[in-house]
Amino acid sequence: MRKSHPVRRAVLATAATVSGIVLLLSLKPASDPGSDEAAGGAPPAAESVQGGARPVGDGTVTGDAAQTQYGAVQVRLTVSGGKITKAEAVQAPKGGQSDQITSNAVPRLNQAVVRAQGADIDAVSGATYTSNGYKESLQSAIDKARASAPADTGNGAGGGDDAAQAQTVTGDVAQTQYGPVQVRITVSGGKITKAEAVQAPKGGQSDQITSNAVPKLNQAAVQAGTADIDAVSGATYTSEGYKESLQSALDKAGG
């Protein structure tokens, strides 16, 4: 029986080992496990507005005023191309120490909104109440912007044009001798279909005057379709403030 030469056995063993290493290397992934984006594409782009499953309508929209321990906070947004391009506080606590807190906090909050594209922003240190009120009014503005977004009419159903054009707009706050007045309108097909006062004088005798005057003013706005409505007798200041805020809302809605 022929004996195998020791050198030959060593050569064969070395060759087998090299072949095994080559086979293992050929099975190694071509990219690092952390480079999945390179193989599978870039991650999905962030939505233009936080929680933006529903699109937002372009234009300027003002959120409801949020009452805080130190005063009202109200935010106005400018939306273009489905993105928030500007945020500003049309109302914020003022007087005494509040002036300094507001001047420090509000610009930061405005910038944070544009960066975050939503109401998920951090409170400014030392301005907790103002920050919380700001975020509350901001969310209200975002909700209104979404509500005013054109409806999807691609289902082929007739009569969808008016629904697509419907929008809800809130006018600027009008300050009166007895308190602020602010009007929100819903416009569809170029007509005011609904008017309501989201702010009106309150407390003491103002409660009775407001409860009597505001429903009449709301009805008059829908009937007239403009801000050219008569003042309610006995509620001159409230009526004038209402008409001022109503005109602001109409301007924002495009007349």
Side-chain angles (χ1 to χ4, degrees), residues 64-75 89-94 102 129-130 133-134 137 173 175 180 199:
D64 294 340
Q67 299 297 331
T68 77
Q69 184 173 333
Y70 298 100
V73 182
Q74 189 172 34
V75 179
V90 294
Q91 284 196 85
K94 57 184 177 180
T102 293
Y129 289 102
T130 298
Y134 186 103
S137 181
V173 176
Q175 298 294 338
Q199 285 195 81

Side-chain angles (χ1 to χ4, degrees), residues 11-25:
V11 171
L12 291 174
T14 303
T17 301
V18 172
S19 297
I21 293 172
V22 171
L23 179 60
L24 288 173
L25 290 175

Side-chain angles (χ1 to χ4, degrees), residues 231-243:
V232 174
S233 178
T236 303
Y237 290 104
T238 297
S239 298
E240 291 303 318
Y242 186 102
K243 291 166 66 176

